[in-house]
Amino acid sequence: MSRSHITTHVLDTGTGRPAAGVAAALHRLGPDGWEEIAGGTTDDDGRITSLGPEALEAGTFRIDFETGTYFAASETETFFPSVSLIFELTDPAQHYHVPLLISPFAYSTYRGS
């Protein structure tokens, strides 16, 4: 299986380990609003390498992560029941990697490679 155009990696900074089992959905902003185009769940290494098609046109995208469900599984209280990341895909020739670092009361992200 080939890698999708957009991938993600979720790391739990509270435990220092990959966040396995986090559900995520990829949406694209169109003329009628947000449309879900793909979804997946992080593997044992906290990665989703098949989040969407192999190629996408330029546009605005959003990944919604179900962090509350992830933390609830370990009976950990969290302030953020979900995290939504909105970003611009400007060059269809590039791969877009969107990592997410989570802890029960904070999160951060960056443009990966």
Side-chain angles (χ1 to χ4, degrees):
M1 176 186 203
S2 58
R3 177 175 71 172
S4 62
H5 201 123
I6 297 172
T7 57
T8 190
H9 189 192
V10 183
L11 299 170
D12 184 335
T13 60
T15 63
R17 304 197 41 84
V22 177
L26 176 66
H27 298 77
R28 181 188 178 112
L29 183 58
D32 296 324
W34 292 103
E35 175 187 356
E36 184 172 335
I37 58 173
T41 302
T42 57
D43 61 18
D44 289 343
D45 194 36
R47 297 178 185 274
I48 303 176
T49 57
S50 59
L51 186 62
E54 292 180 39
L56 290 167
E57 295 180 10
T60 303
F61 292 83
R62 181 182 83 210
I63 304 176
D64 295 329
F65 297 89
E66 295 301 322
T67 52
T69 304
Y70 166 77
F71 285 115
S74 62
E75 299 181 358
T76 301
E77 179 185 357
T78 183
F79 186 69
F80 300 103
S82 66
V83 172
S84 295
L85 304 178
I86 299 173
F87 56 96
E88 295 284 336
L89 189 152
T90 56
D91 182 355
Q94 291 186 27
H95 168 253
Y96 286 76
H97 186 61
V98 185
L100 176 64
L101 303 149
I102 60 173
S103 72
F105 298 98
Y107 68 87
S108 65
T109 189
Y110 58 96
R111 165 78 195 272
S113 59

XYZ file of all heavy atoms in Angstrom:
857
model
N 0.840 -1.181 0.000
C 0.000 0.000 0.000
C 0.886 1.246 0.000
O 1.857 1.343 0.744
C -0.879 -0.028 1.243
C -1.717 1.158 1.416
S -2.542 0.988 3.020
C -3.896 2.019 2.769
N 0.554 2.215 -0.823
C 1.351 3.432 -0.878
C 0.867 4.440 0.152
O -0.241 4.361 0.657
C 1.291 4.022 -2.281
O -0.036 4.274 -2.635
N 1.717 5.387 0.444
C 1.429 6.406 1.456
C 0.456 7.440 0.889
O 0.538 7.831 -0.264
C 2.748 7.064 1.844
C 2.624 8.185 2.834
C 3.959 8.688 3.253
N 4.588 9.402 2.155
C 5.715 10.091 2.279
N 6.352 10.111 3.424
N 6.223 10.722 1.259
N -0.463 7.896 1.731
C -1.419 8.907 1.290
C -0.754 10.285 1.250
O 0.333 10.489 1.795
C -2.648 8.912 2.195
O -2.309 9.232 3.515
N -1.422 11.206 0.614
C -0.903 12.570 0.436
C -0.722 13.279 1.782
O 0.200 14.055 1.971
C -1.884 13.345 -0.445
C -1.286 14.527 -1.115
N -1.306 14.695 -2.468
C -0.650 15.604 -0.636
C -0.716 15.822 -2.784
N -0.309 16.396 -1.695
N -1.632 13.008 2.707
C -1.568 13.585 4.052
C -1.441 12.441 5.051
O -2.210 11.488 5.013
C -2.833 14.415 4.357
C -2.926 15.604 3.391
C -2.828 14.898 5.803
C -4.237 16.364 3.475
N -0.451 12.546 5.925
C -0.261 11.557 6.984
C -0.165 12.282 8.322
O 0.011 13.499 8.372
C 1.019 10.725 6.761
O 2.149 11.610 6.676
C 0.925 9.895 5.490
N -0.267 11.514 9.399
C -0.163 12.108 10.733
C 0.518 11.137 11.682
O 0.639 9.944 11.399
C -1.548 12.531 11.266
O -1.376 13.310 12.443
C -2.433 11.340 11.545
N 0.980 11.672 12.784
C 1.654 10.907 13.830
C 1.266 11.561 15.149
O 1.487 12.758 15.332
C 3.171 10.972 13.617
C 3.954 10.061 14.480
N 5.318 10.177 14.587
C 3.614 9.010 15.266
C 5.775 9.240 15.404
N 4.751 8.524 15.832
N 0.671 10.804 16.061
C 0.229 11.363 17.343
C 1.123 10.797 18.445
O 1.254 9.575 18.582
C -1.255 11.043 17.624
C -1.694 11.696 18.933
C -2.135 11.510 16.469
N 1.715 11.702 19.210
C 2.584 11.321 20.324
C 1.992 11.848 21.624
O 1.569 12.998 21.697
C 3.992 11.889 20.124
C 4.705 11.405 18.868
C 5.965 12.213 18.639
C 5.020 9.926 18.982
N 1.978 11.003 22.641
C 1.484 11.365 23.964
C 2.692 11.843 24.774
O 3.498 11.045 25.232
C 0.819 10.157 24.622
C 0.188 10.465 25.964
O 0.627 11.424 26.639
O -0.730 9.722 26.350
N 2.801 13.160 24.934
C 3.958 13.708 25.638
C 3.888 13.470 27.140
O 4.898 13.562 27.825
C 4.127 15.210 25.355
O 2.960 15.900 25.795
C 4.351 15.461 23.875
N 2.714 13.152 27.654
C 2.570 12.834 29.077
C 3.194 11.499 29.429
O 3.716 11.314 30.526
N 3.136 10.556 28.495
C 3.712 9.236 28.734
C 5.032 9.041 28.006
O 5.747 8.084 28.278
C 2.750 8.123 28.271
O 2.561 8.224 26.859
C 1.415 8.204 28.991
N 5.316 9.924 27.040
C 6.528 9.780 26.249
C 6.443 8.645 25.243
O 7.466 8.111 24.815
N 5.222 8.292 24.832
C 5.020 7.158 23.942
C 4.074 7.554 22.792
O 3.323 8.524 22.911
C 4.418 5.988 24.706
C 5.269 5.589 25.918
C 5.000 4.237 26.488
N 4.780 3.165 25.547
C 5.763 2.459 24.956
N 7.007 2.743 25.194
N 5.458 1.475 24.130
N 4.088 6.777 21.713
C 3.102 7.013 20.654
C 1.690 6.830 21.182
O 1.457 6.019 22.081
C 3.431 5.923 19.623
C 4.830 5.501 19.922
C 5.007 5.682 21.402
N 0.759 7.572 20.645
C -0.644 7.480 21.048
C -1.375 6.541 20.088
O -1.825 6.950 19.020
C -1.283 8.863 21.056
N -1.470 5.278 20.474
C -2.150 4.273 19.648
C -3.658 4.343 19.872
O -4.114 4.605 20.981
C -1.627 2.886 19.991
N -4.407 4.123 18.811
C -5.860 4.055 18.929
C -6.589 5.379 18.868
O -7.755 5.453 19.248
N -5.946 6.438 18.388
C -6.614 7.741 18.262
C -7.311 7.807 16.896
O -6.665 7.696 15.857
C -5.619 8.916 18.393
C -6.336 10.256 18.191
C -4.902 8.884 19.723
N -8.621 7.964 16.917
C -9.376 8.103 15.670
C -9.193 9.508 15.117
O -9.137 10.484 15.875
C -10.854 7.823 15.911
N -9.102 9.603 13.791
C -8.944 10.904 13.134
C -9.749 10.906 11.842
O -9.901 9.867 11.190
C -7.475 11.180 12.838
N -10.260 12.078 11.484
C -11.013 12.240 10.241
C -10.440 13.428 9.470
O -10.162 14.475 10.054
C -12.491 12.477 10.534
N -10.254 13.243 8.172
C -9.745 14.284 7.291
C -10.911 14.908 6.535
O -11.734 14.193 5.950
C -8.737 13.689 6.303
C -8.182 14.639 5.239
C -7.335 15.742 5.881
C -7.356 13.849 4.219
N -10.976 16.245 6.566
C -12.027 16.998 5.877
C -11.392 17.990 4.909
O -10.282 18.470 5.143
C -12.862 17.800 6.881
C -13.584 16.965 7.876
N -12.968 16.386 8.961
C -14.882 16.610 7.951
C -13.863 15.714 9.665
N -15.032 15.842 9.076
N -12.123 18.307 3.853
C -11.710 19.345 2.908
C -12.784 20.428 2.898
O -13.980 20.123 2.913
C -11.559 18.773 1.505
C -11.110 19.832 0.521
C -11.133 19.324 -0.912
N -10.747 20.428 -1.750
C -9.624 20.503 -2.438
N -8.799 19.500 -2.446
N -9.348 21.568 -3.150
N -12.345 21.686 2.875
C -13.279 22.806 2.800
C -13.674 23.028 1.348
O -12.826 23.289 0.491
C -12.647 24.069 3.377
C -13.538 25.303 3.437
C -14.792 25.046 4.265
C -12.759 26.490 3.993
N -14.950 22.900 1.074
C -15.478 23.121 -0.269
C -16.474 24.255 -0.269
O -16.705 24.904 0.755
N -17.118 24.488 -1.391
C -18.075 25.599 -1.498
C -19.278 25.459 -0.571
O -19.891 26.453 -0.207
C -18.505 25.573 -2.968
C -18.050 24.266 -3.512
C -16.952 23.767 -2.642
N -19.593 24.236 -0.161
C -20.736 24.002 0.730
C -20.308 23.705 2.167
O -21.101 23.195 2.957
C -21.583 22.839 0.196
C -22.195 23.158 -1.151
O -22.574 24.332 -1.377
O -22.279 22.244 -1.988
N -19.062 23.984 2.506
C -18.571 23.739 3.861
C -17.616 22.560 3.912
O -17.044 22.150 2.898
N -17.441 21.997 5.091
C -16.502 20.902 5.311
C -17.101 19.576 4.855
O -18.246 19.279 5.171
C -16.121 20.800 6.780
C -15.310 21.951 7.259
C -15.737 23.001 8.021
C -13.922 22.182 7.013
N -14.704 23.865 8.258
C -13.577 23.390 7.649
C -12.937 21.495 6.306
C -12.290 23.922 7.606
C -11.653 22.016 6.269
C -11.341 23.216 6.912
N -16.293 18.796 4.150
C -16.700 17.467 3.693
C -15.661 16.451 4.155
O -14.462 16.615 3.892
C -16.790 17.441 2.167
C -17.083 16.073 1.610
C -17.012 16.028 0.088
O -16.798 17.073 -0.550
O -17.148 14.922 -0.455
N -16.095 15.405 4.852
C -15.169 14.360 5.278
C -14.762 13.538 4.062
O -15.607 13.076 3.304
C -15.791 13.456 6.334
C -14.808 12.429 6.865
C -15.327 11.631 8.040
O -16.221 12.117 8.771
O -14.817 10.517 8.236
N -13.441 13.368 3.890
C -12.952 12.607 2.740
C -12.212 11.338 3.141
O -11.983 10.475 2.299
C -12.062 13.472 1.812
C -10.866 14.049 2.556
C -12.885 14.569 1.163
C -9.874 14.771 1.662
N -11.835 11.213 4.406
C -11.117 10.013 4.845
C -11.087 9.959 6.362
O -11.358 10.946 7.041
C -9.693 10.006 4.294
N -10.723 8.806 6.868
C -10.583 8.639 8.309
C -9.671 7.464 8.604
O -9.383 6.650 7.729
N -9.226 7.395 9.834
C -8.368 6.298 10.238
C -8.129 6.325 11.732
O -8.632 7.202 12.440
N -7.359 5.366 12.202
C -7.004 5.254 13.610
C -5.510 5.019 13.715
O -4.947 4.232 12.928
C -7.769 4.074 14.259
O -9.170 4.306 14.081
C -7.473 3.970 15.739
N -4.860 5.680 14.658
C -3.419 5.521 14.794
C -3.052 4.089 15.151
O -3.738 3.424 15.918
C -2.832 6.481 15.853
O -3.490 6.260 17.104
C -2.985 7.933 15.436
N -1.935 3.634 14.588
C -1.447 2.287 14.847
C -0.623 2.267 16.134
O -0.587 3.269 16.871
C -0.646 1.765 13.649
C 0.596 2.597 13.324
O 1.069 3.390 14.180
O 1.111 2.449 12.194
N 0.045 1.170 16.424
C 0.829 1.039 17.652
C 1.965 2.052 17.748
O 2.449 2.346 18.839
C 1.395 -0.373 17.788
C 0.325 -1.398 18.103
O -0.787 -0.999 18.527
O 0.588 -2.605 17.924
N 2.389 2.597 16.598
C 3.443 3.616 16.576
C 2.844 5.026 16.547
O 3.559 6.005 16.377
C 4.353 3.391 15.367
C 5.638 4.184 15.447
O 6.190 4.348 16.563
O 6.099 4.674 14.393
N 1.510 5.140 16.696
C 0.849 6.439 16.710
C 0.676 7.067 15.336
O 0.369 8.241 15.228
N 0.842 6.280 14.282
C 0.797 6.822 12.917
C -0.465 6.419 12.162
O -1.001 5.343 12.374
C 2.003 6.337 12.117
C 3.320 6.814 12.674
C 4.498 6.266 11.862
N 5.754 6.634 12.470
C 6.397 7.775 12.262
N 5.890 8.664 11.435
N 7.528 8.032 12.871
N -0.862 7.310 11.251
C -1.856 6.982 10.237
C -1.204 7.325 8.900
O -1.009 8.498 8.585
C -3.175 7.757 10.396
C -3.801 7.528 11.763
C -4.154 7.337 9.291
C -5.055 8.350 12.016
N -0.841 6.311 8.155
C -0.183 6.528 6.862
C -1.160 6.416 5.697
O -0.794 6.672 4.560
C 0.964 5.522 6.651
O 0.441 4.197 6.746
C 2.060 5.717 7.689
N -2.387 6.043 5.983
C -3.397 5.914 4.934
C -4.570 6.854 5.206
O -5.720 6.452 5.175
C -3.878 4.464 4.842
O -4.417 4.054 6.080
N -4.266 8.110 5.469
C -5.309 9.104 5.753
C -5.627 9.870 4.473
O -5.101 10.944 4.212
C -4.850 10.069 6.852
C -5.896 11.064 7.350
C -7.087 10.347 7.968
C -5.292 12.015 8.365
N -6.477 9.291 3.666
C -6.881 9.966 2.442
C -6.217 9.402 1.209
O -5.446 8.455 1.281
N -6.509 10.004 0.071
C -5.986 9.516 -1.199
C -4.498 9.822 -1.380
O -3.910 10.592 -0.628
C -6.822 10.267 -2.233
C -7.316 11.482 -1.538
C -7.420 11.121 -0.088
N -3.919 9.203 -2.420
C -2.506 9.421 -2.731
C -2.249 10.811 -3.282
O -1.125 11.301 -3.205
C -2.023 8.380 -3.739
C -1.963 6.987 -3.181
C -1.478 5.984 -4.204
O -0.553 6.330 -4.981
O -2.010 4.879 -4.230
N -3.273 11.446 -3.859
C -3.110 12.781 -4.438
C -4.323 13.632 -4.105
O -5.453 13.152 -4.115
C -2.930 12.681 -5.945
N -4.056 14.895 -3.813
C -5.115 15.863 -3.530
C -4.779 17.171 -4.227
O -3.600 17.504 -4.397
C -5.230 16.122 -2.023
C -5.776 14.990 -1.176
C -5.521 15.267 0.305
C -7.260 14.814 -1.427
N -5.796 17.920 -4.569
C -5.591 19.250 -5.120
C -5.345 20.226 -3.977
O -5.676 19.949 -2.825
C -6.817 19.678 -5.916
C -7.064 18.839 -7.143
C -8.295 19.287 -7.910
O -8.841 20.371 -7.588
O -8.703 18.556 -8.814
N -4.775 21.377 -4.304
C -4.554 22.420 -3.306
C -5.880 22.806 -2.672
O -6.938 22.728 -3.300
C -3.899 23.634 -3.954
N -5.824 23.200 -1.401
C -7.035 23.610 -0.714
C -6.837 23.666 0.784
O -5.730 23.507 1.298
N -7.921 23.898 1.487
C -7.918 23.971 2.945
C -8.447 22.655 3.495
O -9.504 22.176 3.065
C -8.784 25.142 3.434
O -8.293 26.351 2.849
C -8.750 25.253 4.952
N -7.716 22.092 4.448
C -8.050 20.794 5.019
C -8.097 20.884 6.541
O -7.516 21.789 7.141
C -7.022 19.743 4.593
C -7.083 19.438 3.126
C -6.429 20.245 2.212
C -7.828 18.371 2.657
C -6.502 19.990 0.856
C -7.911 18.107 1.302
C -7.250 18.917 0.400
N -8.766 19.911 7.142
C -8.869 19.844 8.600
C -8.757 18.383 9.010
O -9.367 17.514 8.388
C -10.215 20.409 9.041
C -10.421 20.411 10.556
C -11.802 20.937 10.937
N -12.770 19.845 10.830
C -14.052 20.005 10.530
N -14.554 21.188 10.294
N -14.857 18.964 10.468
N -7.983 18.138 10.068
C -7.957 16.817 10.679
C -8.545 16.960 12.075
O -8.094 17.792 12.863
C -6.536 16.224 10.778
C -5.856 16.165 9.416
C -6.597 14.820 11.397
C -4.410 15.688 9.466
N -9.570 16.150 12.364
C -10.183 16.104 13.691
C -9.696 14.844 14.404
O -9.853 13.740 13.874
C -11.708 16.055 13.589
C -12.301 17.317 12.991
O -11.718 18.395 13.181
O -13.358 17.211 12.341
N -9.109 15.029 15.580
C -8.593 13.924 16.382
C -9.481 13.715 17.601
O -9.802 14.677 18.305
C -7.171 14.237 16.874
C -6.160 14.399 15.785
C -5.931 15.634 15.202
C -5.414 13.315 15.346
C -4.983 15.798 14.210
C -4.469 13.465 14.351
C -4.248 14.703 13.775
N -9.854 12.484 17.883
C -10.699 12.145 19.033
C -9.820 11.870 20.254
O -9.666 10.731 20.697
C -11.583 10.946 18.694
C -12.584 11.239 17.602
C -13.518 12.383 17.949
O -13.924 12.507 19.137
O -13.832 13.182 17.051
N -9.256 12.922 20.814
C -8.326 12.785 21.938
C -9.037 12.400 23.232
O -8.457 11.720 24.072
C -7.540 14.091 22.137
O -8.469 15.178 22.226
C -6.599 14.333 20.966
N -10.278 12.818 23.394
C -11.011 12.488 24.614
C -11.211 10.995 24.777
O -11.048 10.450 25.874
N -11.559 10.325 23.705
C -11.736 8.874 23.735
C -10.421 8.179 24.066
O -10.387 7.214 24.825
C -12.285 8.382 22.381
O -13.491 9.083 22.104
C -12.537 6.891 22.396
N -9.325 8.688 23.483
C -8.002 8.125 23.755
C -7.673 8.217 25.248
O -7.285 7.229 25.874
C -6.938 8.854 22.926
C -5.524 8.570 23.375
C -4.895 7.380 23.049
C -4.831 9.495 24.157
C -3.602 7.105 23.479
C -3.545 9.235 24.585
C -2.935 8.045 24.248
O -1.658 7.780 24.681
N -7.840 9.389 25.841
C -7.515 9.556 27.260
C -8.489 8.794 28.162
O -8.094 8.254 29.198
C -7.449 11.031 27.636
C -6.211 11.714 27.151
C -6.270 12.732 26.216
C -4.956 11.335 27.612
C -5.123 13.360 25.757
C -3.795 11.953 27.166
C -3.879 12.965 26.233
N -9.755 8.730 27.782
C -10.746 7.999 28.581
C -10.388 6.517 28.695
O -10.650 5.890 29.728
C -12.129 8.156 27.974
N -9.770 5.965 27.665
C -9.399 4.550 27.683
C -8.412 4.237 28.805
O -8.365 3.107 29.295
C -8.815 4.142 26.335
N -7.621 5.225 29.232
C -6.681 5.025 30.339
C -7.149 5.737 31.609
O -6.353 5.964 32.523
C -5.283 5.513 29.949
O -5.309 6.908 29.685
N -8.446 6.097 31.607
C -9.049 6.787 32.751
C -8.270 8.042 33.135
O -8.054 8.337 34.307
C -9.193 5.835 33.939
C -10.101 4.653 33.630
C -10.276 3.706 34.803
O -9.666 3.913 35.869
O -11.050 2.747 34.637
N -7.861 8.792 32.100
C -7.118 10.028 32.287
C -8.012 11.209 31.940
O -8.569 11.274 30.839
C -5.860 10.050 31.383
O -5.048 8.923 31.709
C -5.066 11.325 31.576
N -8.165 12.131 32.872
C -8.944 13.345 32.621
C -8.216 14.197 31.587
O -6.993 14.302 31.594
C -9.091 14.132 33.924
C -9.864 15.413 33.759
C -9.895 16.250 35.027
O -9.357 15.808 36.065
O -10.446 17.360 34.968
N -8.978 14.814 30.678
C -8.389 15.707 29.688
C -9.248 16.954 29.532
O -10.465 16.897 29.697
C -8.204 15.013 28.328
O -7.563 15.930 27.433
C -9.510 14.570 27.727
N -8.620 18.043 29.221
C -9.313 19.306 28.993
C -9.801 19.409 27.547
O -10.745 20.130 27.251
C -8.372 20.462 29.314
C -9.022 21.814 29.247
C -9.979 22.192 30.175
C -8.669 22.717 28.264
C -10.582 23.445 30.109
C -9.264 23.971 28.194
C -10.218 24.334 29.117
N -9.153 18.683 26.632
C -9.463 18.747 25.209
C -10.067 17.427 24.737
O -9.341 16.489 24.449
C -8.206 19.061 24.396
C -7.574 20.374 24.753
C -6.438 20.422 25.542
C -8.127 21.558 24.302
C -5.863 21.633 25.883
C -7.553 22.774 24.636
C -6.421 22.814 25.424
N -11.393 17.336 24.615
C -12.012 16.088 24.169
C -11.764 15.804 22.690
O -11.913 14.677 22.246
C -13.496 16.297 24.447
C -13.673 17.776 24.439
C -12.382 18.354 24.946
N -11.371 16.831 21.948
C -10.985 16.650 20.551
C -10.044 17.785 20.168
O -10.013 18.831 20.821
C -12.210 16.633 19.634
O -12.835 17.896 19.631
N -9.280 17.539 19.110
C -8.372 18.552 18.580
C -8.623 18.630 17.078
O -8.653 17.605 16.395
C -6.896 18.190 18.846
C -5.963 19.153 18.131
C -6.608 18.159 20.340
N -8.802 19.851 16.573
C -8.986 20.068 15.138
C -7.845 20.935 14.626
O -7.589 22.009 15.170
C -10.316 20.773 14.861
O -11.393 19.960 15.233
N -7.182 20.453 13.586
C -6.079 21.187 12.970
C -6.473 21.557 11.548
O -6.807 20.682 10.748
C -4.816 20.327 12.947
C -4.336 19.779 14.291
C -3.108 18.907 14.091
C -4.050 20.910 15.265
N -6.444 22.845 11.248
C -6.789 23.344 9.920
C -5.513 23.839 9.266
O -4.723 24.566 9.883
C -7.835 24.468 10.012
C -9.116 23.949 10.658
C -8.122 25.053 8.622
C -10.148 25.017 10.954
N -5.308 23.440 8.009
C -4.072 23.796 7.313
C -4.324 23.913 5.813
O -5.333 23.435 5.296
C -2.969 22.763 7.590
C -3.348 21.356 7.232
C -2.986 20.821 6.012
C -4.089 20.574 8.112
C -3.347 19.525 5.669
C -4.448 19.283 7.783
C -4.086 18.762 6.557
N -3.391 24.574 5.130
C -3.467 24.784 3.682
C -2.521 23.833 2.967
O -1.333 23.786 3.284
C -3.074 26.224 3.323
C -4.005 27.281 3.845
C -5.293 27.369 3.046
O -5.315 26.965 1.867
O -6.283 27.846 3.623
N -3.038 23.088 2.027
C -2.229 22.283 1.124
C -2.037 23.151 -0.113
O -3.000 23.410 -0.842
C -2.965 20.987 0.794
C -2.212 19.905 0.043
C -2.786 18.543 0.402
C -2.242 20.126 -1.432
N -0.830 23.672 -0.298
C -0.593 24.627 -1.372
C 0.121 24.038 -2.579
O -0.012 24.551 -3.679
C 0.234 25.827 -0.857
O 1.451 25.340 -0.285
C -0.544 26.612 0.194
N 0.889 22.978 -2.373
C 1.655 22.374 -3.459
C 1.273 20.903 -3.586
O 1.743 20.065 -2.816
C 3.152 22.511 -3.182
C 4.020 21.953 -4.297
O 3.476 21.369 -5.261
O 5.247 22.089 -4.201
N 0.428 20.564 -4.562
C -0.019 19.183 -4.706
C 1.101 18.180 -4.973
O 0.896 16.981 -4.837
C -0.989 19.247 -5.892
C -1.452 20.657 -5.931
C -0.267 21.465 -5.479
N 2.281 18.658 -5.323
C 3.400 17.753 -5.584
C 4.086 17.298 -4.292
O 4.845 16.333 -4.300
C 4.420 18.428 -6.501
N 3.847 17.990 -3.196
C 4.491 17.662 -1.925
C 3.637 16.721 -1.088
O 2.419 16.686 -1.224
C 4.752 18.931 -1.118
C 5.802 19.832 -1.689
C 6.097 20.979 -0.735
O 5.933 20.858 0.481
N 6.532 22.098 -1.277
N 4.316 16.009 -0.196
C 3.642 15.197 0.824
C 3.443 16.098 2.045
O 4.322 16.901 2.377
C 4.509 13.991 1.194
C 4.034 13.270 2.405
N 4.685 13.348 3.609
C 2.956 12.484 2.621
C 4.037 12.626 4.506
N 2.990 12.099 3.930
N 2.311 15.972 2.721
C 2.012 16.780 3.904
C 1.883 15.862 5.115
O 0.994 15.008 5.167
C 0.728 17.590 3.701
C 0.939 18.745 2.754
C 1.025 18.542 1.386
C 1.084 20.033 3.233
C 1.249 19.594 0.514
C 1.307 21.098 2.375
C 1.393 20.868 1.014
O 1.617 21.922 0.159
N 2.800 16.041 6.069
C 2.779 15.272 7.312
C 2.404 16.235 8.429
O 3.034 17.279 8.595
C 4.149 14.647 7.572
C 4.164 13.740 8.754
N 3.388 12.600 8.836
C 4.869 13.798 9.914
C 3.622 11.998 9.992
N 4.505 12.710 10.669
N 1.332 15.889 9.177
C 0.788 16.781 10.201
C 0.817 16.062 11.549
O -0.145 15.404 11.923
C -0.653 17.221 9.844
C -1.166 18.243 10.851
C -0.725 17.760 8.423
N 1.929 16.152 12.288
C 2.025 15.499 13.591
C 1.239 16.262 14.661
O 1.017 17.465 14.554
C 3.524 15.550 13.911
C 4.193 15.879 12.619
C 3.194 16.689 11.851
N 0.835 15.520 15.693
C 0.135 16.107 16.830
C 0.770 15.569 18.106
O 0.920 14.359 18.266
C -1.350 15.741 16.799
C -2.193 16.206 17.985
C -2.256 17.732 18.058
C -3.594 15.602 17.908
N 1.169 16.480 18.990
C 1.701 16.126 20.300
C 0.626 16.447 21.324
O 0.147 17.583 21.374
C 2.971 16.929 20.595
C 4.060 16.750 19.541
C 4.892 18.009 19.407
C 4.904 15.564 19.878
N 0.238 15.446 22.121
C -0.857 15.644 23.070
C -0.436 15.307 24.491
O 0.462 14.501 24.722
C -2.101 14.800 22.702
C -1.776 13.304 22.686
C -2.686 15.265 21.390
C -2.998 12.393 22.496
N -1.086 15.968 25.427
C -1.038 15.615 26.843
C -2.446 15.936 27.352
O -3.239 16.542 26.627
C 0.036 16.410 27.589
O -0.339 17.751 27.741
N -2.788 15.549 28.558
C -4.158 15.783 29.014
C -4.608 17.246 29.001
O -5.795 17.522 28.851
C -4.153 15.220 30.433
C -3.097 14.165 30.408
C -2.034 14.725 29.506
N -3.666 18.190 29.130
C -4.068 19.592 29.235
C -3.353 20.525 28.259
O -3.341 21.737 28.457
C -3.874 20.072 30.678
C -4.750 19.297 31.628
C -4.233 18.234 32.349
C -6.097 19.588 31.751
C -5.048 17.498 33.195
C -6.918 18.850 32.583
C -6.391 17.797 33.315
N -2.779 19.941 27.186
C -2.102 20.762 26.183
C -1.928 19.954 24.906
O -1.975 18.726 24.928
C -0.736 21.216 26.693
N -1.731 20.672 23.802
C -1.359 20.012 22.553
C -0.572 20.978 21.694
O -0.627 22.199 21.893
C -2.573 19.463 21.802
C -3.512 20.501 21.229
C -3.311 21.056 19.972
C -4.630 20.900 21.947
C -4.189 21.989 19.463
C -5.513 21.828 21.421
C -5.286 22.379 20.181
O -6.153 23.294 19.667
N 0.211 20.444 20.758
C 0.937 21.264 19.810
C 1.083 20.490 18.511
O 0.870 19.267 18.459
C 2.303 21.694 20.353
O 3.133 20.576 20.528
N 1.436 21.194 17.462
C 1.580 20.588 16.145
C 2.641 21.343 15.365
O 3.115 22.398 15.790
C 0.229 20.589 15.402
O 0.353 19.816 14.215
C -0.231 21.995 15.089
N 3.006 20.802 14.213
C 3.964 21.445 13.326
C 3.853 20.800 11.955
O 3.208 19.762 11.805
C 5.399 21.324 13.877
C 5.858 19.901 14.103
C 6.606 19.227 13.138
C 5.547 19.234 15.286
C 7.011 17.914 13.353
C 5.965 17.927 15.504
C 6.692 17.282 14.525
O 7.101 15.978 14.733
N 4.464 21.395 10.963
C 4.510 20.817 9.621
C 5.692 19.870 9.581
O 6.841 20.270 9.662
C 4.639 21.916 8.565
C 5.055 21.443 7.164
C 3.908 20.832 6.393
N 4.336 20.084 5.233
C 4.530 20.593 4.030
N 4.399 21.871 3.817
N 4.885 19.802 3.028
N 5.423 18.595 9.471
C 6.478 17.585 9.410
C 6.850 17.273 7.984
O 6.397 17.899 7.038
N 7.695 16.276 7.841
C 8.098 15.855 6.487
C 8.014 14.366 6.340
O 7.825 13.637 7.273
C 9.508 16.327 6.193
O 10.417 15.811 7.135
